[in-house]
């Protein structure tokens, strides 16, 4: 669910907590896919550590896109291939560089390339890149839909404005009365938030 842009602080915190939980669930599956594919490649081929990691990360990115689009951010605006997918790929590539940069540094910079060390640094890289991905996906890729006011509130405002304009004061009240009625109709909405 989208994090409400308006409302009480408690509502915003609850919305963010739901979003983080959904992001974490999809990300958890992505981590399992990422580490599973990474270890499968490492133990069945002679590919170098970082190359195996890049392949595993790409497989996880594909898995995560499906989870984010159809679970975590299913209520967000859908801009499809025109905007969403290119941005997702661009930010995912940046995350891939962050994730595999950590592994590259540990493996080739410090010589820590044993099976346990590569998995530990792969996991650290995933965690570091996840912080960036969460921010970028929610900010740029899966944008929240603007909050819509209930239709009943809009109908009530129109009825009230029509009543003021057609009152005995009529045109003498002019747009000032209509503006006052619109402001009065919105006042309870703002008071409730």
């Amino acid at each position: 669910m989208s994090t409400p842009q308006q409302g009480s602080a408690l509502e915003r915190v609850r919305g963010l907590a739901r979003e983080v939980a959904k992001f974490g669930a999809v990300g958890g599956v992505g981590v399992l896919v990422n580490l599973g594919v990474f270890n499968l490649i490492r133990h069945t081929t002679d590919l170098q550590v970082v190359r195996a990691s890049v392949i595993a990360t790409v497989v996880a990115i594909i898995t995560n896109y499906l989870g984010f689009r159809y679970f975590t951010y299913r209520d967000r605006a859908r801009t499809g291939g025109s905007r969403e997918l290119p941005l997702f790929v661009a930010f995912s590539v940046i995350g891939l560089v962050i994730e595999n940069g950590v592994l590259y540094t540990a493996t080739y910079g410090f010589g820590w390339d044993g099976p346990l060390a590569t998995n530990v640094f792969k996991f650290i890289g995933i965690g570091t890149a996840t912080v960036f991905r969460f921010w970028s996906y929610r900010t740029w890729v899966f944008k929240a839909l603007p909050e819509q006011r209930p239709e009943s509130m809009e109908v009530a405002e129109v009825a009230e404005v029509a009543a003021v304009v057609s009152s005995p004061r009529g045109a003498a009240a002019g747009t000032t009365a209509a503006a006052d009625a619109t402001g009065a109709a919105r006042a309870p909405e703002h008071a409730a938030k």
Side-chain angles (χ1 to χ4, degrees):
M1 176 172 226
S2 298
T3 305
Q5 298 301 316
Q6 297 178 348
S8 72
L10 183 59
E11 288 172 343
R12 289 192 304 268
V13 168
R14 284 181 181 157
L16 182 60
R18 281 190 300 272
E19 183 180 347
V20 168
K22 287 180 176 183
F23 189 92
V26 171
V29 170
V31 167
L32 293 176
V33 167
N34 198 332
L35 291 173
V37 171
F38 173 68
N39 283 298
L40 180 68
I41 292 171
R42 287 279 293 148
H43 296 307
T44 60
T45 70
D46 291 331
L47 276 178
Q48 295 174 341
V49 173
V50 176
R51 287 183 185 169
S53 180
V54 168
I55 292 168
T57 303
V58 169
V59 173
I61 286 170
I62 293 166
T63 304
N64 286 350
Y65 177 77
L66 297 172
F68 291 142
R69 170 41 51 218
Y70 297 107
F71 177 67
T72 305
Y73 297 115
R74 68 176 173 243
D75 62 333
R76 299 275 179 109
R78 293 179 190 251
T79 55
S82 64
R83 181 185 166 280
E84 179 181 288
L85 194 55
L87 282 175
F88 183 84
V89 169
F91 287 121
S92 293
V93 167
I94 294 169
L96 181 145
V97 170
I98 293 168
E99 176 183 328
N100 291 291
V102 170
L103 183 61
Y104 181 90
T105 302
T107 303
Y108 300 110
F110 296 106
W112 299 326
D113 61 354
L116 179 62
T118 57
N119 277 291
V120 167
F121 286 103
K122 172 93 172 137
F123 191 76
I124 291 170
I126 290 170
T128 305
T130 296
V131 173
F132 168 76
R133 287 178 176 132
F134 178 74
W135 170 81
S136 64
Y137 293 165
R138 78 182 304 264
T139 304
W140 298 101
V141 181
F142 302 107
K143 291 185 137 199
L145 293 170
E147 225 176 281
Q148 295 182 350
R149 295 184 11 204
E151 190 174 312
S152 60
M153 179 62 84
E154 292 173 8
V155 170
E157 285 179 10
V158 170
E160 193 168 339
V161 169
V164 169
V165 171
S166 64
S167 71
R169 293 190 320 191
T175 58
T176 306
D180 290 343
T182 303
R186 287 189 181 142
E189 176 188 354
H190 292 298
K193 291 183 179 180

